[in-house]
Amino acid sequence: MIAWYAPGAGSGTLFGIPLSGGSAGGTGIPMQIVLLLTALTLLPAAIMSVTPFLRIAIVLHFLRQALGTQTAPSNQVLVGLAMFLTLLIMQPVLGDAYTNAYAPLERGEITSQQAWDRASVPFRTFLLKFARERDIKLFLDISHAPQPAKPQEVGLAVLVPAYTLSELKAAFQIGAVLFLPFLIIDLVVASVTLSVGMMQLPPVMVSAPFKILLFVLVDGWNLVVGSLVKSFY
C-alpha cells in the first residue's frame, strides 16, 4: 500500500517507509522517492549477493549443464527453486531481524538508524559463518581498513564482497564434483561408440539418456537439494 503525500504536507510514506519533508538542508520528498526506487532496482542483486541464492543458483546451473539437458529445467524453474530454498534457509535470520528491528521501528520505539544496527546483527552473523578468513583479509587490505579486534567488528562493506567471493568458490567446487560422474559416462560412451565405428550420432546424444537415467535412479534432485540446504546448517 502506497500512501502519497498531499501538496504542502510535511511527510508521507512509500511502501510503508516514512518520508520526511524537505527542508533547507535536507532532501526533498521527490528526491527521496527517486533514491528509494533506485535502491529497489538494486534489491535483486543484493538478494543474490548476500543470501544462499548465489550458491544454489550456480550449483543448479552446473547440474543442468552436466546432465546435458540444455533448457530442462527452464531458467524460471531453477530460479524459483533457488528462491524458495533461500527463503527456507534465511527464515531464522529474517525472523530475528523482523522481531528485533522492523517491529519496534513500526511501533515507533526506535529510530531508523537503531533499526538498521539491530537488523544488521543477524545478517552479519550469517555472513561471518560462511565468509572465508582469507577473503575477508583480502578486502580489508584492498579497502585499507584497520584490522578488527574481533570478527563481529568487520564492516558490511568488507563482509559482503568477502561472502560473495567465498560462495562463488564453494559453488564452483560443488559444481566440479557434480560434473565428475556424468563426465565418466560421456567418456565411456564416447569410447564405445568410437570402438564400434558408430559415427552417425554424436557421443553426447547417446550418453544423455544414460545420464538422465542414472540421475533418476539415485534420486538426484533429493540428494542435490538436500546437500545444498544442509551445507548452510
Side-chain angles (χ1 to χ4, degrees):
M1 178 178 180
I2 305 175
W4 296 97
Y5 67 99
S11 63
T13 60
L14 179 62
F15 302 116
I17 301 175
L19 300 174
S20 60
S23 60
T27 305
I29 290 181
M31 182 57 68
Q32 293 180 36
I33 294 175
V34 171
L35 293 175
L36 185 58
L37 293 177
T38 303
L40 289 176
T41 61
L42 300 176
L43 186 60
I47 292 176
M48 291 180 61
S49 301
V50 299
T51 64
F53 184 92
L54 178 62
R55 182 191 302 188
I56 296 172
I58 293 177
V59 170
L60 292 179
H61 174 75
F62 271 118
L63 177 61
R64 186 175 65 180
Q65 293 295 320
L67 286 171
T69 54
Q70 302 300 324
T71 58
S74 64
N75 290 332
Q76 291 84 350
V77 173
L78 294 183
V79 170
L81 178 59
M83 181 182 66
F84 285 114
L85 292 177
T86 300
L87 290 175
L88 176 65
I89 296 170
M90 295 296 292
Q91 185 176 358
V93 178
L94 295 175
D96 193 3
Y98 177 84
T99 303
N100 297 326
Y102 183 77
L105 176 64
E106 197 174 33
R107 294 192 298 264
E109 299 174 356
I110 59 176
T111 64
S112 57
Q113 182 60 44
Q114 291 173 327
W116 169 260
D117 294 337
R118 291 188 182 185
S120 63
V121 172
F123 282 97
R124 180 181 282 105
T125 302
F126 176 82
L127 297 178
L128 280 171
K129 186 176 180 181
F130 298 102
R132 298 188 307 165
E133 183 179 351
R134 182 176 181 179
D135 295 328
I136 294 176
K137 186 178 183 303
L138 170 65
F139 287 102
L140 284 174
D141 295 338
I142 292 175
S143 61
H144 302 288
Q147 293 292 332
K150 52 185 179 180
Q152 288 73 16
E153 295 179 358
V154 179
L156 290 177
V158 170
L159 194 54
V160 168
Y163 170 82
T164 303
L165 200 61
S166 301
E167 286 297 283
L168 286 174
K169 177 180 175 62
F172 273 76
Q173 287 177 333
I174 298 173
V177 174
L178 283 175
F179 255 103
L180 291 178
F182 301 109
L183 179 61
I184 293 174
I185 294 177
D186 284 334
L187 292 175
V188 171
V189 171
S191 300
V192 172
T193 54
L194 288 176
S195 63
V196 299
M198 188 175 66
M199 306 296 294
Q200 294 82 0
L201 290 175
V204 175
M205 293 187 62
V206 179
S207 64
F210 294 100
K211 292 190 289 186
I212 296 174
L213 181 61
L214 173 65
F215 190 72
V216 172
L217 288 176
V218 301
D219 198 4
W221 287 112
N222 184 283
L223 292 175
V224 172
V225 171
S227 300
L228 276 174
V229 173
K230 291 177 183 177
S231 66
F232 289 97
Y233 289 96

